Amino acid sequence: MASDADTRFPGESAEYRRERNRLLEAEVELRRAIEQVAAQRRALPRGGPVPEDYSFEEVGRDGEVRFSELFEPGKETLVIYSFMFPRYSGDTRPGPGGETGKLPLAETPCASCTSILDSLDGAAPHLRQRINLAVVARSDPARIATFARERGWRNLRLLSSRANGYNRDYRAETDEGEQMPILNVFIKDGDELRHTWATELMFAPREEGMEARRWTPSGRSGACST
């Protein structure tokens, strides 16, 4: 644990250092809790088998791809992020620019999902060295391709689920047809494909503790809406 004598920055007061060290103790405990939760996640038993070999329309390519074909040789894990395109019907934030912005607002993509995918596009080449990665949306493949081009996405494998039941089965769509953001993880277990984990916490009351906006002095009010 850092002490007053161990860590100081120019101009700080004794009061600041005392309170900062108290906060540091809390941050250490939080990290320990996060590591404990991660260990519990890794220890989960296998989830249920994937109920069908879903057929997706591949964005930017002619033809379809089966769920089972998303597993490349030597990679047993598949991560799928469900992208809200179209957005939640109650989302009144401004739409994007470009051709996509000409769509009715309710048919445009979610701004928060877009921000996530901006970051994921940069990380994708590194992630794909170890896992299979795909992004799924229920929109028309041509619309997805147009928006990806407008955002400059070059590394994401984009799929349309408009003609299958994947979104409904894996909590990316409500019974009323509203799209929901969720990340699902699957594994190839021998000849069987099984679900292993999903970001279910988004469906429970929670603090948004992992958002970068929480790291700034002004919190949510001092950061962009996306």
Side-chain angles (χ1 to χ4, degrees), residues 112-161:
S112 298
C113 289
T114 299
S115 178
I116 290 171
L117 294 181
D118 283 347
S119 298
L120 190 59
D121 182 67
H126 306 285
L127 295 171
R128 284 202 306 267
Q129 294 178 22
R130 300 184 62 183
I131 65 172
N132 302 290
L133 176 67
V135 175
V136 170
R138 198 160 185 79
S139 189
D140 182 294
R143 289 186 175 185
I144 300 173
T146 296
F147 189 59
R149 184 173 62 254
E150 291 170 345
R151 298 302 300 183
W153 297 340
R154 297 179 178 84
N155 302 310
L156 298 175
R157 187 171 193 177
L158 301 166
L159 309 172
S160 173
S161 59

Side-chain angles (χ1 to χ4, degrees), residues 9 19 24 27 43 52 62 79 98-99 121 126 130 137 146 148 168 183-184 198 203 215:
F9 294 96
E19 295 304 315
L24 183 59
E27 290 172 340
E52 64 177 280
D62 292 330
V79 174
E99 287 299 312
D121 182 67
H126 306 285
R130 300 184 62 183
T146 296
R168 187 65 60 88
L183 184 145
N184 281 284
F203 298 105
W215 302 344

